[in-house]
Amino acid sequence: MDIKRRLTSRSDRVKSVDLHPTEPWMLCALYNGHVHVMNYENQQLVKDFEVCDLPVRCARFVARKNWILTGSDDMQVRVFNYNTLEKVHSFEAHTDYVRCIAVHPTQPLILTCSDDMLVKLWNWEKMWAVQRVFEGHTHYVMQVVFNPKDNNTFASASLDRTVKVWQLGSNVPNFTLEGHEKGVNCVDYYHGGDKPYLISGADDRLVKIWDYQNKTCVQTLEGHAQNVSAVYFHPELPILLTGSEDGTIRIWHSGTYRLETSLNYGFERVWTIACMRGTNNVALGYDEGSIIIKVGREEPAMSMDVNGGKIVWARHSEMQQVNLKALPEGTEIKDGERLPVAVKDMGACEIYPQTIAHNPNGRFVVVCGDGEYIIYTSMALRNKAFGSAQEFVWASENSEYAVRESSGTVKLFRNFKERKSFTPDYGAEGIFGGQLLGVKTSSGLTFYDWENLELIRRIEVQPRHVFWNEAGTLVCLATEDSYFILKVDIGMIQNALATKQQLGEDGIEEAFDVLGEVNELVRTGLWVGDCFIYTNSVNRINYYVGGEIVTVSHLDRTMYLLGYVPKDNRLYLGDKELNVTSFALLLSVLEYQTAVMRRDFETADRVLPTIPKEHRTRVAHFLEMQGFRQQALQVSIDPEHRFELALKIGDLDTALMLARESDSPQKWSQLAGIATSKNKFDLVKECLTNANDYGGLLLLATSTGDADMLRNLGENGVTQGKFNISFLSMFLL
């Protein structure tokens, strides 16, 4: 689980936080009577206003009304317009401190709870009239929360050591959950549809999970060293968060209740936690300020079967499929624009998917998460095989794969049966699939052959990703800050494996040849022929071919490569919101560049006619970079580029023709220089005349003793106002 800090804001004690559903805003209610609105994207304080001179214990956004609601120790609930900061309304809600406000998701209703032991329901469309008073608690009511699956019910936590569940239509509780030894500070509902669960945290330092249908405690989480002050089921991820006066936030797996991680930012006691549906942001309120963290993986779990044109992804634990071939007739696909794809539900996955990957022919898809993997048939999501694994990779053969277990053991499978298992000498920190099995160790990367696990090569780099081309002749090793392109001699490897020769301590060194190193971070990548296409850290799509880097597009957000469909000449990408976009990338251009790289000009000449005119010059620039200027001159259609190339290779006939077409003095001057070096003096004279280069003509006339030329120069000089040249010509005659 990746956890990144997005915002750190020091302030007075924060008693409550809330996140705005559409703006990048966090709302903080402070103990000193102020309310802050922070923008967590640019780290700026957007609004700061004083509510009263007593602690504000809760503040809530009501985005549909542009409101902020506050509840404070002067027993008042106040309503502010957050755009103008004017106070819309205020009223005395209770006869003691207001502890919490819950806003109904759709109706004009709010719940408030207080130290006067009451919960009240208010309707803002009826002049903030109190609709109902809920009595039953025998001590301060610390928190109320609506049930997200049934907005007519809500739960309340009280220092009388109970959690009570109520219905909006009745002022007595439906039932009471008892089990905590001390006062209960906080309560929350599980958001998923599969479990009727509540979570509560109390001064007995325990967190309890309740089944509110059976009214039983199903789990008790221990570990906090002080009172538990905040609990939250994350609405998107399979985690629950608990905060305590011991200064820590603990993150637990909401399915297994395993402690995933404990965070301590040194801001003293934790008072409040808030999450927002649709994002991975979590807001935390402390004694010394507030923090926003981003929880969960950035990269979406999605995979594309290029042959079938289908994309499979996970929206939380639900698996969905998109068929690119089923786009509506006549859909105009524009580069970088979201594709109007139809999403088909495939069903729920038994584990929470963190990664998804199709096998090479697209018939199977593997889902990994929580230390387990399941292989499904990709069409109907039928379970084919499963097991425990920290990591799973496919080989280039269709039914072969490997898994890495937590112990560092790597197991190889073929046709879903275990075939071999081994524990690498230096441990296994990661594994990579493809033509060879890659194992990342503490000392570098080791490649093995799939069949007998013979050591093929040790390389002293620690890659994040390894990408093989389809033929297995090229591999990209992408590290934290750069990537290497290596050429692989498969014939030599097969020969060495057959004869058992050359298999030294470090493998077959001669079989791997470094073609290039580029100082760029590769986020996602794939091969098309000999072209390596990738997205980098500054959100560009580039491709590398023969030492050249070509930029396909600049992206406005982080996107992940899914696949390239040669038939459509399109590259497909997805983002973390599961939008699919595509960019045109001509296969004919890639094929041509691949053929050039292989010095296969026969194939290149065959592909050239299929490249549209507007792409010819780009291809010519590529040829020129590779040193093939003669071919570049034949391919290019840009007159400027062709003139440059003609000069570089000394093709004076082509250069003269282009100079006559454009009649630019600059071109004539450039051509004169080249013609002089080749002693073509008739051509030099034509060039200097067209370039109006009188100094050059004077030098040429005097060097060759040409009196007629000198006389013309003298006469023309007078008409052109070049009197120095004219005088010298006459003087020399």
Side-chain angles (χ1 to χ4, degrees):
M1 207 165 52
D2 302 336
I3 295 175
K4 288 197 187 79
R5 230 194 294 191
R6 285 200 69 176
L7 171 86
T8 306
S9 159
R10 289 203 173 263
S11 67
D12 201 73
R13 182 184 303 167
V14 177
K15 293 303 290 182
S16 145
V17 285
D18 195 19
L19 291 165
H20 195 283
T22 53
E23 300 287 346
W25 291 349
M26 169 175 67
L27 175 65
C28 301
L30 306 186
Y31 201 72
N32 64 6
H34 281 245
V35 167
H36 285 178
V37 177
M38 295 289 300
N39 181 322
Y40 51 79
E41 271 175 9
N42 62 18
Q43 320 277 317
Q44 300 291 315
L45 179 65
V46 186
K47 323 222 183 260
D48 171 14
F49 56 97
E50 188 173 5
V51 174
C52 60
D53 49 14
L54 289 166
V56 182
R57 290 189 189 269
C58 54
R60 290 278 172 270
F61 282 120
V62 185
R64 55 191 189 266
K65 303 291 283 182
N66 297 336
W67 283 348
I68 288 171
L69 306 179
T70 65
S72 45
D73 284 5
D74 61 0
M75 306 174 288
Q76 296 271 330
V77 168
R78 292 177 176 81
V79 187
F80 298 90
N81 178 314
Y82 56 64
N83 293 324
T84 62
L85 291 191
E86 64 174 325
K87 187 157 71 168
V88 179
H89 192 63
S90 70
F91 58 94
E92 186 168 309
H94 290 272
T95 57
D96 209 333
Y97 298 170
V98 180
R99 289 278 175 180
C100 180
I101 297 174
V103 182
H104 194 285
T106 53
Q107 294 177 31
L109 303 172
I110 68 164
L111 288 167
T112 59
C113 66
S114 159
D115 288 2
D116 64 8
M117 306 189 278
L118 299 177
V119 178
K120 295 186 181 182
L121 179 69
W122 310 83
N123 186 327
W124 69 68
E125 280 186 358
K126 296 190 175 162
M127 304 284 295
W128 289 97
V130 63
Q131 299 256 252
R132 197 171 288 282
V133 178
F134 303 90
E135 296 183 54
H137 280 299
T138 56
H139 206 311
Y140 303 167
V141 187
M142 302 300 282
Q143 192 178 1
V144 281
V145 56
F146 278 105
N147 182 342
K149 298 193 280 285
D150 171 10
N151 305 151
N152 282 320
T153 60
F154 68 91
S156 59
S158 164
L159 294 190
D160 63 13
R161 308 180 186 185
T162 68
V163 170
K164 290 183 187 291
V165 173
W166 315 71
Q167 218 141 359
L168 290 183
S170 160
N171 41 3
V172 291
N174 288 1
F175 55 88
T176 302
L177 301 172
E178 297 180 61
H180 280 291
E181 303 281 309
K182 291 186 176 173
V184 185
N185 295 312
C186 43
V187 61
D188 192 31
Y189 276 95
Y190 177 70
H191 292 253
D194 51 342
K195 295 184 225 154
Y197 282 4
L198 270 170
I199 180 174
S200 62
D203 288 345
D204 56 11
R205 306 177 184 181
L206 301 177
V207 174
K208 288 187 180 286
I209 318 282
W210 307 87
D211 180 321
Y212 57 76
Q213 277 178 355
N214 303 334
K215 308 180 186 39
T216 54
C217 174
V218 291
Q219 192 78 25
T220 301
L221 307 180
E222 298 179 29
H224 280 297
Q226 286 296 333
N227 301 345
V228 178
S229 47
V231 292
Y232 215 105
F233 270 113
H234 196 287
E236 305 273 327
L237 302 167
I239 57 171
L240 55 96
L241 301 104
T242 61
S244 159
E245 293 181 33
D246 62 13
T248 66
I249 298 281
R250 287 178 165 247
I251 301 181
W252 316 74
H253 191 291
S254 60
T256 61
Y257 303 115
R258 183 177 71 224
L259 178 66
E260 295 288 330
T261 184
S262 178
L263 308 172
N264 190 342
Y265 292 116
F267 267 41
E268 295 299 325
R269 294 173 295 183
V270 180
W271 292 112
T272 171
I273 300 173
C275 307
M276 174 56 64
R277 200 173 189 97
T279 80
N280 293 3
N281 293 329
V282 178
L284 312 168
Y286 292 86
D287 271 341
E288 295 185 2
S290 47
I291 289 176
I292 287 192
I293 56 172
K294 205 161 182 191
V295 183
R297 290 177 76 253
E298 271 297 279
E299 207 167 319
M302 51 198 317
S303 174
M304 178 169 176
D305 163 26
V306 178
N307 313 316
K310 291 194 172 68
I311 300 171
V312 172
W313 64 51
R315 195 180 281 283
H316 315 309
S317 47
E318 297 295 316
M319 304 283 286
Q320 296 179 321
Q321 190 186 57
V322 159
N323 186 353
L324 294 173
K325 292 180 178 166
L327 284 174
E329 272 297 309
T331 305
E332 188 191 350
I333 299 179
K334 289 197 177 131
D335 280 5
E337 287 194 5
R338 202 161 74 85
L339 295 178
V341 292
V343 178
K344 179 180 128 195
D345 285 322
M346 298 177 79
C349 183
E350 292 98 279
I351 56 179
Y352 189 86
Q354 283 158 321
T355 59
I356 295 180
H358 281 89
N359 76 328
N361 67 11
R363 285 186 48 204
F364 300 107
V365 63
V366 66
V367 176
C368 290
D370 294 333
E372 296 178 54
Y373 72 90
I374 303 176
I375 300 174
Y376 294 105
T377 55
S378 61
M379 290 305 289
L381 215 62
R382 274 203 303 280
N383 193 325
K384 193 80 184 148
F386 60 90
S388 66
Q390 296 300 312
E391 219 176 341
F392 178 107
V393 294
W394 292 105
S396 51
E397 294 298 316
N398 284 313
S399 61
E400 206 158 341
Y401 57 90
V403 302
R404 175 175 71 85
E405 297 191 332
S406 51
S407 57
T409 302
V410 178
K411 292 184 173 172
L412 273 61
F413 293 78
R414 185 177 288 153
N415 296 326
F416 311 106
K417 291 187 175 59
E418 188 180 325
R419 198 169 63 78
K420 269 188 166 51
S421 140
F422 78 117
T423 307
D425 307 340
Y426 300 101
E429 292 174 12
I431 54 173
F432 304 101
Q435 181 74 23
L436 297 171
L437 171 65
V439 177
K440 182 161 86 167
T441 67
S442 51
S443 61
L445 174 70
T446 314
F447 281 125
Y448 298 90
D449 90 299
W450 283 90
E451 189 54 45
N452 298 310
L453 288 175
E454 292 280 5
L455 184 126
I456 303 297
R457 183 82 173 90
R458 281 191 213 280
I459 301 175
E460 285 181 12
V461 294
Q462 287 193 302
R464 294 174 59 193
H465 308 289
V466 172
F467 304 98
W468 286 89
N469 73 345
E470 201 174 342
T473 52
L474 290 164
V475 63
C476 169
L477 310 180
T479 67
E480 288 296 336
D481 45 14
S482 61
Y483 65 90
F484 302 87
I485 304 287
L486 278 67
K487 190 172 176 198
V488 183
D489 189 332
I490 302 181
M492 188 187 287
I493 292 172
Q494 286 168 344
N495 190 32
L497 288 170
T499 60
K500 292 282 185 266
Q501 286 170 346
Q502 291 174 289
L503 294 172
E505 181 124 324
D506 284 333
I508 315 158
E509 292 198 27
E510 299 75 47
F512 290 78
D513 186 19
V514 179
L515 297 181
E517 177 188 358
V518 180
N519 289 323
E520 261 194 300
L521 172 88
V522 174
R523 270 222 171 99
T524 51
L526 54 92
W527 288 89
V528 177
D530 288 11
C531 302
F532 177 62
I533 306 172
Y534 63 95
T535 57
N536 67 11
S537 55
V538 291
N539 294 336
R540 276 190 202 145
I541 311 173
N542 290 345
Y543 67 87
Y544 173 101
V545 55
E548 282 314 300
I549 293 173
V550 182
T551 297
V552 178
S553 178
H554 296 256
L555 303 170
D556 57 359
R557 61 190 186 284
T558 302
M559 302 197 76
Y560 304 88
L561 289 174
L562 292 171
Y564 179 76
V565 179
K567 200 167 83 305
D568 308 345
N569 286 313
R570 293 199 86 82
L571 187 62
Y572 291 92
L573 299 94
D575 65 14
K576 64 175 194 295
E577 272 76 49
L578 305 178
N579 298 315
V580 180
T581 54
S582 80
F583 289 88
L585 189 57
L586 288 179
L587 182 64
S588 51
V589 171
L590 298 179
E591 280 178 340
Y592 186 87
Q593 291 174 327
T594 297
V596 169
M597 286 319 302
R598 292 178 179 161
R599 304 282 192 274
D600 177 359
F601 285 103
E602 199 179 304
T603 305
D605 293 342
R606 209 169 53 244
V607 173
L608 187 61
T610 64
I611 296 177
K613 284 269 190 289
E614 64 269 22
H615 290 273
R616 293 280 173 97
T617 304
R618 203 166 105 192
V619 170
H621 277 291
F622 171 77
L623 283 165
E624 184 190 357
M625 294 289 198
Q626 298 303 318
F628 305 119
R629 289 173 178 162
Q630 193 73 51
Q631 284 91 340
L633 180 59
Q634 291 161 14
V635 170
S636 183
I637 55 168
D638 173 18
E640 300 291 326
H641 187 221
R642 295 192 67 213
F643 182 75
E644 270 174 47
L645 286 166
L647 290 186
K648 280 178 185 167
I649 58 176
D651 181 347
L652 296 185
D653 295 341
T654 306
L656 179 61
M657 182 186 78
L658 290 162
R660 282 176 178 155
E661 279 172 14
S662 78
D663 203 26
S664 114
Q666 192 193 355
K667 280 202 176 68
W668 285 115
S669 295
Q670 283 174 285
L671 184 53
I674 302 287
T676 306
S677 68
K678 291 196 178 294
N679 301 334
K680 300 268 197 274
F681 287 109
D682 291 346
L683 178 56
V684 174
K685 185 176 172 184
E686 184 187 343
C687 292
L688 293 173
T689 305
N690 287 324
N692 292 330
D693 183 349
Y694 287 90
L697 285 166
L698 179 62
L699 177 66
L700 184 64
T702 51
S703 308
T704 53
D706 189 331
D708 291 341
M709 191 173 165
L710 209 53
R711 190 168 289 107
N712 285 340
L713 197 55
E715 289 163 6
N716 290 344
V718 175
T719 55
Q720 293 289 331
K722 306 273 184 192
F723 297 115
N724 281 358
I725 299 279
S726 207
F727 174 81
L728 261 179
S729 303
M730 302 300 188
F731 181 72
L732 289 169
L733 282 167

